Amino acid sequence: PGPPPPPPSQQPPRQDEDDEETARQEHLAATLRCMGFDEEPSHIAARSAGGNLNVAIESMLRNSGAG
């Protein structure tokens, strides 16, 4: 029938998936700001955390020196 499709990591992301990921990152950054973190570090942590709130908070605490 033909070769199998490449794994998902090799397929280019669809635009709606990019939009969903951006929305998740913005929501996560907003959550961090509501918790008292600064805006710019919140965006950086949200991007690097892959949508995981616990990872984002851990990153924020580590970078602030409070951890």
Side-chain angles (χ1 to χ4, degrees):
S9 63
Q10 294 178 358
Q11 293 175 340
R14 296 190 333 249
Q15 183 60 39
D16 57 340
E17 290 175 349
D18 288 346
D19 292 345
E20 287 177 16
E21 180 63 25
T22 299
R24 276 195 294 275
Q25 289 175 1
E26 289 176 0
H27 183 85
L28 184 54
T31 300
L32 292 170
R33 287 194 306 274
C34 287
M35 295 173 72
F37 294 110
D38 292 333
E39 183 170 352
E40 185 61 29
S42 295
H43 282 288
I44 295 168
R47 277 197 302 270
S48 65
N52 187 320
L53 178 61
N54 292 330
V55 172
I57 292 172
E58 193 174 310
S59 174
M60 294 294 293
L61 292 176
R62 198 177 320 114
N63 291 336
S64 71

